[in-house]
Amino acid sequence: MHNDRGLVERRIQRELWERVLPLAHRDSRALSIEAGPDLDHLEPFAPRTKWGAPWATTWFRFTGEIPPDWAGRPVEAVIDLGFHPDAAGFQCEGLLVDLHDDGTFSPLQGIHPRRTNYALDADPGPVVLHLEAASNPTFAGYQPSRFGLVETAGERPLYQFRRASLVVVDLDARALAFDIEVLDGVMRALADDDPRRARLARTLAEALDRVPDVAAARRVLAPALAEDFGDAVRHRSVAVGHAHIDTAWLWPLRETVRKCIRSFASAAALMDDYPEYTFCASSAQHYTWIEEREPELFAAITERVERGQWIPVGGMWVEADMNLPSGESLVRQIVFGQRYFEERFGARCTEVWIPDVFGYPAGLPQVFAAGGMDRFVTQKLSWNKQNRFPHNTFWWEGLDGTRVLTHFPPVDTYNAEITPAEFAFSVTNFQDHGWSTDSLMPFGHGDGGGGPTREMVERARRLAHIDSRATLEIDTPAAMFERIERDADRGAAVPVWRGELYFEMHRGTLTSQLKTKLGNRRCERLLVEAELWAATLGRSADVDDLWKQTLTQQFHDILPGSSIAWVHQDAERILGEVDAEVEARITGLLAELAGPTTAVANRGDAAVDEIVTLDLDDADVDGPVQRLADGTTALRVSVPAMAVAPVEALAVDDRVVLSDTSMTNGHLAVRWDAHGNITSIIDLAGAREIVAEGAVAAALEIAVDHPVEYDAWDVESWTVDNGTALTGADGVSVDVVDAGPLVGRVRVERAFGPSTAVITYELRAGSRQLDVHVELDWHHDEHLLSMAFPLDVRADVAMCDVQFGVVARPTHPSSPWDAAKFEVCAHRFVDVAEPDFGVAILNNGRFGHGVFDGRVRVSLARAAQFPDPLADRGHHAVSLAVRPHGAGLADVRDAAGRFNHPLRVVRATDTPTTSRPPRPVVEVTSDPAGVEVDAVKLADDGSGDLIVRLHEACGSRSRVSVVAADRIAAAWRCNLLEEPESGEEVGDGIVAMTLRPFQIVTLRLRRSARADGRSLAP
Ligand SMILES: [Zn+2]
């Protein structure tokens, strides 16, 4: 026999498509079509007609007749709305509905690019089908697109209707097509010189020789499909159905509701045909939409959850970004998620499921575990551009030492199709064969693709035992994790990865769409503040709905800024409404607390005793004050942590002295040149220059920002390397606007190209930091604007503030892993330090930082054109600060807290005050300092217990004392859902405990009715 294998392999593909597949649909007849904007306005519609303006909905009615000679044969409708063949989702979609007599309807099944069939359970006679179709535009090729807003999208129809027909299905012929497709795929996944490859080619050729005798062809293939590889231990690929539905992205939230309905209806329908098939879906928000909009579908889902086929996963409100939300927001993602799943489906989730999120900070393992999930699935790090992550299954160890069992599916996608090629790849790509035999394969088309298809499940059946190295079975993630946990219990050498899972892509999402990010940053802090003041008044803040709205906007394409303009308009509006509502509630609560005197409220967990600027008339305040050029008043106030105090201007024993080029107080001496560039900052106590020799601090830098792909997502290393400093004389004016003695301010206005920046340097009497306020009128296209601080500090790492702690990032690109971290996330500060001296750069509203080569660079603004062509153009304001300090981070953390929570003025009102003394509801002290209070609220169970969540933030072992305004009678440590896990000793009304470095503790305090005389205040 001659070697004609190459020719045979080409023959198989052509004959599968042209000779075998047509056998499956031998009889067909066209359906008549009507279309219109709603069911009352349908008109006759011809195939090949254009339909669907961008973002519009079109209704179709299909009518036809099943002829008598089709009786007893399986019949399907095939509907092709004009799908682009190359994409499984991201385009038009439809929903077949069951129309009820009263005009309402319920979903039957989605119609998607790769799911165009609908099985009819009908006898001969008339057939009527109704379909709601969404003409969502596509966004191709990273090009600026007018489709991102309904106002600019236009009216021109986007799709050309292709086909609507009834077909008779020859089930044996269809099975033959699956047989050939799977064996062909298995063959092609084998090495060229594998003897089995040659045998399979010959077998397939023999089967094709039998076509069109379907039964004979299948008999030829049967032995190859049933090949048995015995009992040898093989890898086990665990396939789980899935549909990754982005909560908003290249479509607005309102369309996601419909995407969920279509995909969930399809996923549920498929279960009836394939009892072995399982489907995972995350995001309590998505289920909530179904529950509200489609109760019948929700009931069908509930029933499938009960029988174990439908598996809620993730335990979170949405699949949130993990870099940008506050720690408390991440907690609430889990609290609201887990509560929902437990209330609706009787059980909490056991796996965190965030396959598509852009990096995972080191505080997460502890948060996941405290939320009841010590297993974690993600896939995104397979996209890393620089380094390949070395494991697929491992213990991920967080900042505090908590470990969660983590799995990266080796198929390197969360939208697998269970092809033989994917199956083979997932086996060869798996990096932990040495100790583990299990891996996950999430399959199903996401984002409008409708999830798993019949074809995928049919392939899974045929692939179950066909590979000599691995089996494939459809099961649940929990089943896989349980086996891995058993392996670990038996002593398997599970690798450990300690510290953050840094994502080597999408670094631009730390900066894109600033207004969405700052809206979130405000709302998540305001919500915590409202809970604090309500608890101080003995009440629940009743802000669950406002929390949920905020949490939805933390979704991993909204908060990162990678969505179309419409999504960000929605986000800014929703977060603006939450902001206004919570502000109003806080104003009311504080009015009750403060009463008839003008007061200041300090929501922070550190006491304030410093010069502040308040929006007050200086005539209203006794004592030393300074009226500032912007109309505010500077004065020294003292307010305990989490407390309200009357406004009193205290004596000040320091002063700011200014000249045309310098500004000094008792701690810092600052100089600038004629162009407003800071050339020197001297820390007077240490007699030490902070600014690197010959350099300029707080200089703006501008760089051309053209990512290779994914414009809003990515920043490239050459972009941050190639910035041009804006330090010249052109377009600059420098003015001293406030000349002390309490506050000195110097205003530098700088025009550059189409944009302008107003930078105000501010030094306050008694302050150890130089504040740098930046106002931008930003009109560049595709540029990155940064502010750089070259520092004369020698440090190998920079400590970056993240949720529930700090993480060290290399200050040098020495190894490939170091070099990849050229843009990193930090929340409120970045610190570089020698053992006894450091300099922190604080911020009140940015996340992207560079820390290489002796300087801290803060990314201020980008201007991507895809997917929102006008992203970020306009006005922005942010404040940064340079703060030298001694050993440790506690001072920096406190300062960063105050920088982000300026005191709030409470106007005198005639609101009746509470009879309670304006004492903090709770006081927390720690030794050493550095314990942070994340939330103070009444328990969600209505018991009246006080919940205090706190964590050690600086990496020390810390002794913590807690007292409350009402005497503490009993205390428990709880999980995130406020359920007691262990009792905490209370001695004389004081809870005293030791926190490990970065440990999070959720305390439940039961209080007696009487006020406690104790205070921890010095
Ligand atoms: Zn996604």
Side-chain angles (χ1 to χ4, degrees):
M1 188 180 292
H2 298 292
N3 182 2
D4 57 355
R5 212 186 65 220
L7 195 60
V8 170
E9 289 184 5
R10 276 158 51 205
R11 172 191 176 191
I12 296 164
Q13 275 300 304
R14 178 157 186 192
E15 295 201 12
L16 172 62
W17 285 97
E18 294 186 8
R19 293 185 64 218
V20 179
L21 279 170
L23 297 177
H25 290 174
R26 270 184 264 212
D27 286 334
S28 84
R29 44 167 59 200
L31 288 159
S32 303
I33 312 169
E34 297 159 275
D38 55 59
L39 286 170
D40 296 330
H41 299 86
L42 297 178
E43 292 183 357
F45 180 93
R48 321 303 299 185
T49 303
K50 286 270 206 176
W51 70 278
W55 304 116
T57 294
T58 304
W59 279 89
F60 290 95
R61 174 154 51 211
F62 307 107
T63 46
E65 182 96 11
I66 297 179
D69 61 324
W70 289 10
R73 300 160 72 188
V75 177
E76 290 183 348
V78 179
I79 298 163
D80 185 338
L81 296 169
F83 296 118
H84 305 304
D86 298 339
F90 307 101
Q91 49 176 300
C92 62
E93 293 172 62
L95 179 70
L96 283 166
V97 300
D98 187 10
L99 197 61
H100 306 309
D101 293 340
D102 62 358
T104 62
F105 55 85
S106 51
L108 291 170
Q109 183 205 293
I111 292 293
H112 306 276
R114 309 245 171 110
R115 191 188 182 115
T116 55
N117 298 45
Y118 175 68
L120 293 167
D121 191 12
D123 296 325
V127 171
V128 184
L129 293 168
H130 295 95
L131 180 120
E132 180 202 43
S135 38
N136 299 325
T138 57
F139 295 84
Y142 315 119
Q143 294 303 308
S145 170
R146 64 189 165 82
F147 288 133
L149 273 179
V150 75
E151 296 85 351
T152 55
E155 297 286 328
R156 235 178 59 202
L158 295 175
Y159 295 94
Q160 185 177 25
F161 195 96
R162 200 168 285 130
R163 175 187 184 193
S165 32
L166 296 176
V167 297
V168 177
V169 183
D170 181 330
L171 294 176
D172 286 330
R174 191 161 76 187
L176 174 64
F178 288 132
D179 292 349
I180 293 172
E181 188 199 7
V182 165
L183 285 174
D184 177 59
V186 168
M187 175 187 75
R188 286 169 203 276
L190 294 169
D192 275 351
D193 57 359
D194 190 318
R196 193 173 170 220
R197 181 161 183 155
R199 283 202 302 275
L200 283 172
R202 184 58 47 201
T203 304
L204 284 160
E206 284 174 24
L208 291 174
D209 291 342
R210 303 292 188 280
V211 172
D213 183 340
V214 169
R218 292 200 77 197
R219 277 197 300 277
V220 170
L221 297 176
L225 284 162
E227 212 162 348
D228 186 351
F229 292 93
D231 296 331
V233 174
R234 279 185 279 170
H235 187 71
R236 189 190 277 112
S237 189
V238 176
V240 293
H242 187 49
H244 181 78
I245 301 175
D246 289 297
T247 304
W249 179 24
L250 301 175
W251 52 87
L253 287 169
R254 74 165 203 194
E255 186 58 25
T256 313
V257 178
R258 303 203 297 178
K259 281 184 190 286
C260 289
I261 293 168
R262 295 178 203 119
S263 291
F264 284 10
S266 295
L270 196 63
M271 285 179 185
D272 299 332
D273 297 334
Y274 295 95
E276 80 272 30
Y277 148 64
T278 61
F279 180 77
C280 298
S282 71
S283 302
Q285 171 69 87
H286 294 185
Y287 288 89
T288 305
W289 283 330
I290 302 290
E291 192 181 357
E292 289 167 0
R293 288 273 303 262
E294 301 294 346
E296 283 179 45
L297 175 58
F298 191 76
I301 291 170
T302 308
E303 191 249 318
R304 285 159 176 77
V305 172
E306 281 163 9
R307 67 186 200 222
Q309 264 187 290
W310 187 296
I311 304 139
V313 289
M316 291 169 58
W317 185 250
V318 294
E319 291 185 17
D321 180 77
M322 291 286 126
N323 282 316
L324 303 160
S326 69
E328 191 58 25
S329 279
L330 296 178
V331 167
R332 304 304 171 100
Q333 286 283 353
I334 292 176
V335 169
F336 286 107
Q338 289 285 51
R339 287 238 170 90
Y340 181 86
F341 291 118
E342 183 166 38
E343 283 164 12
R344 296 304 188 276
F345 304 122
R348 295 178 194 167
C349 302
T350 53
E351 295 87 20
V352 175
W353 184 276
I354 35 176
D356 188 28
V357 163
F358 312 152
Y360 306 87
L364 288 180
Q366 191 182 189
V367 177
F368 294 165
M373 296 178 282
D374 51 12
R375 302 160 174 170
F376 170 35
V377 177
T378 182
Q379 182 277 316
K380 203 69 186 177
L381 263 62
S382 70
W383 287 36
N384 270 4
K385 278 286 171 64
Q386 281 79 16
N387 298 284
R388 184 180 184 199
F389 196 82
H391 317 296
N392 288 95
T393 308
F394 57 101
W395 289 115
W396 180 27
E397 182 176 309
L399 280 176
D400 72 312
T402 302
R403 291 178 174 182
V404 292
L405 190 57
T406 299
H407 182 69
F408 297 174
V411 68
D412 281 2
T413 175
Y414 41 82
N415 302 313
E417 299 177 34
I418 318 196
T419 64
E422 283 174 340
F423 179 38
F425 174 74
S426 75
V427 177
T428 54
N429 193 44
F430 185 65
Q431 299 173 95
D432 297 279
H433 287 300
W435 67 272
S436 176
T437 53
D438 285 87
S439 68
L440 212 58
M441 184 189 291
F443 69 95
H445 298 302
D447 283 338
T453 63
R454 176 178 64 208
E455 288 77 7
M456 297 173 194
V457 185
E458 289 284 351
R459 286 195 287 265
R461 286 182 171 180
R462 286 165 178 78
L463 286 168
H465 300 287
I466 207 166
D467 193 286
S468 61
R469 301 163 306 166
T471 58
L472 187 145
E473 62 195 55
I474 298 182
D475 206 332
T476 65
M480 181 203 71
F481 275 113
E482 279 159 21
R483 280 194 296 271
I484 299 171
E485 284 158 358
R486 277 202 296 276
D487 291 343
D489 288 345
R490 283 197 290 259
V494 188
V496 179
W497 180 272
R498 182 163 167 169
E500 71 178 318
L501 296 172
Y502 178 86
F503 183 41
E504 297 177 350
M505 261 188 106
H506 295 4
R507 301 164 181 90
T509 61
L510 302 177
T511 307
S512 293
Q513 297 285 3
L514 292 162
K515 290 194 164 67
T516 298
K517 287 178 169 59
L518 297 182
N520 175 70
R521 190 157 161 154
R522 269 188 65 75
C523 287
E524 62 190 3
R525 283 160 172 76
L526 286 172
L527 286 160
V528 169
E529 182 178 359
E531 290 174 341
L532 167 70
W533 301 133
T536 307
L537 286 163
R539 294 180 207 152
S540 161
D542 195 18
V543 287
D544 284 6
D545 283 344
L546 297 165
W547 261 118
K548 288 175 184 172
Q549 291 182 51
T550 305
L551 298 177
T552 300
Q553 302 304 321
Q554 293 172 356
F555 172 73
H556 67 253
D557 281 308
I558 305 180
L559 187 52
S562 43
S563 284
I564 56 172
W566 191 346
V567 173
H568 290 287
Q569 277 190 359
D570 279 353
E572 288 165 30
R573 176 181 51 77
I574 291 165
L575 292 169
E577 288 165 5
V578 171
D579 182 333
E581 173 64 25
V582 185
E583 276 284 352
R585 296 204 201 176
I586 289 172
T587 302
L589 292 165
L590 287 174
E592 274 188 68
L593 281 166
T597 50
T598 298
V600 279
N602 174 19
R603 63 135 292 182
D605 60 3
V608 170
D609 182 354
E610 61 185 9
I611 307 279
V612 297
T613 54
L614 299 177
D615 186 14
L616 276 180
D617 190 334
D618 54 339
D620 294 345
V621 189
D622 292 332
V625 299
Q626 181 188 344
R627 181 81 169 165
L628 301 178
D630 65 1
T632 59
T633 296
L635 68 163
R636 177 184 159 212
V637 296
S638 176
V639 198
M642 300 184 280
V644 178
V647 174
E648 282 178 65
L650 305 173
V652 180
D653 61 0
D654 188 21
R655 58 187 290 121
V656 184
V657 179
L658 285 93
S659 76
D660 286 347
T661 56
S662 73
M663 175 158 71
T664 311
N665 69 5
H667 302 288
L668 290 181
V670 181
R671 299 189 80 78
W672 54 91
D673 66 15
H675 313 318
N677 301 309
I678 301 254
T679 53
S680 168
I681 305 171
I682 294 173
D683 175 62
L684 296 173
R688 181 167 171 157
E689 175 62 65
I690 294 170
V691 181
E693 191 174 350
V696 168
L700 291 176
E701 281 186 8
I702 193 153
V704 173
D705 184 11
H706 284 149
V708 174
E709 48 187 357
Y710 297 109
D711 295 17
W713 290 256
D714 285 350
V715 162
E716 307 292 358
S717 59
W718 52 87
T719 300
V720 300
D721 286 346
N722 293 341
T724 304
L726 302 171
T727 52
D730 292 347
V732 178
S733 66
V734 184
D735 298 291
V736 171
V737 289
D738 291 299
L742 300 185
V743 171
R745 282 180 177 167
V746 183
R747 185 179 188 275
V748 179
E749 187 166 339
R750 185 177 290 280
F752 51 105
S755 303
T756 314
V758 176
I759 300 173
T760 305
Y761 307 127
E762 173 180 321
L763 187 64
R764 303 181 185 203
S767 170
R768 294 173 185 278
Q769 74 192 37
L770 174 70
D771 295 350
V772 182
H773 306 292
V774 183
E775 286 205 49
L776 276 181
D777 196 22
W778 177 238
H779 296 288
H780 277 71
D781 285 330
E782 300 188 312
H783 279 75
L784 169 69
L785 184 72
S786 306
M787 180 166 272
F789 297 87
L791 301 172
D792 189 9
V793 178
R794 176 84 184 160
D796 283 342
V797 296
M799 301 307 287
C800 300
D801 178 47
V802 298
Q803 303 97 335
F804 300 115
V806 285
V807 63
R809 265 77 175 244
T811 55
H812 49 84
S814 298
S815 77
W817 292 86
D818 296 337
K821 294 178 180 168
F822 57 82
E823 179 87 354
V824 294
C825 183
H827 280 218
R828 296 166 302 177
F829 64 83
V830 167
D831 188 68
V832 286
E834 297 164 8
D836 56 353
F837 179 84
V839 179
I841 305 300
L842 316 183
N843 81 81
N844 73 353
R846 288 298 182 274
F847 297 90
H849 292 75
V851 297
F852 283 173
D853 301 326
R855 45 184 228 142
V856 174
R857 188 186 51 74
V858 186
S859 294
L860 295 183
R862 300 186 64 211
Q865 294 196 342
F866 175 82
D868 175 0
L870 294 175
D872 284 324
R873 278 47 152 209
H875 181 264
H876 303 285
V878 67
S879 294
L880 310 180
V882 189
R883 184 177 183 90
H885 62 92
L889 281 172
D891 166 79
V892 174
R893 193 213 67 87
D894 282 1
R898 293 194 298 271
F899 203 57
N900 278 271
H901 306 305
L903 297 183
R904 190 186 274 281
V905 174
V906 189
R907 309 275 167 201
T909 64
D910 46 14
T911 306
T913 55
T914 165
S915 58
R916 302 161 62 93
R919 228 194 106 175
V921 63
V922 68
E923 291 177 55
V924 178
T925 62
S926 65
D927 181 24
V931 166
E932 184 160 337
V933 178
D934 302 291
V936 175
K937 60 191 279 295
L938 289 200
D940 289 340
D941 61 8
S943 61
D945 288 349
L946 190 67
I947 300 294
V948 180
R949 188 160 18 253
L950 41 84
H951 72 276
E952 202 292 318
C954 300
S956 299
R957 205 162 296 263
S958 193
R959 189 84 190 139
V960 180
S961 300
V962 180
V963 300
D966 290 328
R967 189 180 173 88
I968 299 172
W972 298 265
R973 287 195 195 203
C974 300
N975 59 18
L976 299 185
L977 286 92
E978 305 176 359
E979 295 161 328
E981 293 192 324
S982 63
E984 196 66 44
E985 209 167 296
V986 183
D988 196 24
I990 299 175
V991 178
M993 56 188 179
T994 300
L995 262 54
R996 298 191 313 271
F998 303 116
Q999 187 177 11
I1000 304 168
V1001 170
T1002 303
L1003 273 180
R1004 173 186 281 264
L1005 305 177
R1006 183 148 305 155
R1007 296 161 297 167
S1008 63
R1010 67 193 166 92
D1012 200 333
R1014 277 156 205 73
S1015 171
L1016 299 170

